[in-house]
Amino acid sequence: MTAVVLRRGAGLLLTLLTLSVLVFLLTSMAPGDPAEEILRRGGIQPTASSVAALRAELGLDRPLFSQYLRWLLDVLGGDLGRSYADRSPVTTEILSRVPATLRLAGAAALVAVVLAVLAAVWTALRPRGLGSRAVALVTVAVAGVPPYVVGILLISVVAVGLRALPTGGDSGPGAVVLPALTLGLAGAATLLRLLRGDLAHALRLPFVKLAAAKGLRVRRTVLVHAVRVAAPSAVTAAGLMLAELLAGAVVVETLFSWPGVGQLAVSAIRQRDVPVVQAYVLLTAVATVLLLALAEVCLVACDPRVRRR
């Protein structure tokens, strides 16, 4: 187990280093001169001398590799740079938005897990029923529809039509319901498709059939034996689902005016605020990689067959 974790850890460090290079290069290649943008945003007509002076102040006149090393060292020290828009520390801006994003992602994960587990167990108990086919059809439909379409439908029907919940913002506990449903439904579809297949496979295993033959009730057979067999795949699916939730938060936060990191990133893209975009892309990529690595470690701990590979 220790050897597996160390091996995975070395691979994880290499992946994170590669990610940092890609994020810096891709965001640095954005069109336009940041120095000119900052001067124009401050109401100053850029001249060759003023642009050159500001580029020197920002370190943009250095070779790209030198800029990357400086940026990487600052990031490792917890400094994500300063926003081009208002010169405020990016770390402070990101940290002030993180609680809202975590609150939304947590509520969406709760929606996804509850819906997926209930639907998977229910369809496993009635594999040939009309309800199971309906659930399968709805799952395919939800998985194929982009989250922003689901969000627009929920706003139109629930918030505007029924006036049951607010259309956006984070004023009050009810404000999180619609964005959490929008994100959670997509995550539930991903999780359900994996869980349903694993539960159906588990129910065909000899020892599960033997338990049922000995008189164990079908519901208990599914909940105690089949769910335990499907647990390793569920852990992997949960990691993928959480990564999807983080990626989808950008669209949902913008659609519902949710004051999270995703909304900050969209605003930064509109303003060509490179340091904020760099910080958002890097943190999202790192969080995704860490979630998948955590899911893999949990899978190794749950399933001895993986440790022997």
Side-chain angles (χ1 to χ4, degrees):
M1 177 70 184
T2 304
V4 173
V5 172
L6 289 176
R7 193 164 58 247
R8 298 289 197 277
L12 178 63
L13 287 177
L14 185 60
T15 302
L16 293 177
L17 183 62
T18 306
L19 273 175
S20 72
V21 174
L22 290 175
V23 168
F24 183 82
L25 285 179
L26 292 176
T27 50
S28 297
M29 290 165 60
D33 190 326
E36 290 187 13
E37 290 290 331
I38 293 173
L39 291 173
R40 286 199 180 93
R41 196 171 288 126
I44 302 172
Q45 183 61 32
T47 61
S49 59
S50 61
V51 170
L54 188 53
R55 286 181 62 82
E57 180 187 338
L58 297 174
L60 298 175
D61 58 339
R62 300 176 184 176
L64 195 59
F65 181 68
S66 175
Q67 292 181 44
Y68 167 72
L69 281 183
R70 179 187 175 189
W71 174 77
L72 182 61
L73 291 175
D74 287 343
V75 168
L76 291 176
D79 182 6
L80 296 172
R82 286 188 173 273
S83 165
Y84 286 168
D86 55 11
R87 307 298 295 152
S88 60
V90 175
T91 305
T92 305
E93 286 195 39
I94 294 279
L95 289 178
S96 68
R97 302 291 190 110
V98 165
T101 295
L102 290 181
R103 195 162 67 248
L104 173 58
L110 181 64
V111 169
V113 170
V114 170
L115 288 180
V117 171
L118 289 178
V121 172
W122 192 75
T123 53
L125 293 171
R126 304 165 183 81
R128 300 182 185 279
L130 185 61
S132 296
R133 295 175 186 175
V135 168
L137 189 62
V138 171
T139 303
V140 172
V142 171
V145 176
Y148 71 87
V149 175
V150 177
I152 291 173
L153 287 175
L154 288 175
I155 289 175
S156 302
V157 176
V158 181
V160 178
L162 302 177
R163 297 185 178 180
L165 291 168
T167 56
D170 67 339
S171 55
V176 76
V177 175
L178 293 186
L181 271 177
T182 303
L183 264 181
L185 285 174
T190 302
L191 193 56
L192 174 58
R193 282 184 295 177
L194 292 171
L195 274 179
R196 189 175 54 199
D198 286 337
L199 280 179
H201 169 71
L203 287 174
R204 292 194 295 270
L205 292 176
F207 78 93
V208 176
K209 288 184 177 179
L210 180 61
K214 287 182 176 179
L216 195 66
R217 296 178 61 185
V218 177
R219 189 184 303 274
R220 186 172 175 78
T221 303
V222 172
L223 294 177
V224 174
H225 294 287
V227 168
R228 187 178 300 170
V229 172
S233 297
V235 169
T236 306
L240 291 172
M241 180 198 69
L242 290 173
E244 284 186 5
L245 292 184
L246 284 178
V250 176
V251 175
V252 174
E253 287 183 2
T254 304
L255 184 62
F256 288 94
S257 301
W258 187 260
V261 181
Q263 191 189 50
L264 175 68
V266 172
S267 174
I269 291 171
R270 287 175 181 157
Q271 297 179 340
R272 302 169 73 178
D273 196 345
V274 175
V276 177
V277 177
Q278 280 178 338
Y280 172 76
V281 176
L282 180 67
L283 292 178
T284 303
V286 169
T288 301
V289 170
L290 290 179
L291 281 173
L292 295 178
L294 181 62
E296 190 175 2
V297 170
C298 292
L299 179 62
V300 170
C302 293
D303 192 344
R305 294 171 299 177
V306 180
R307 291 197 291 271
R308 289 194 292 266
R309 290 176 188 171

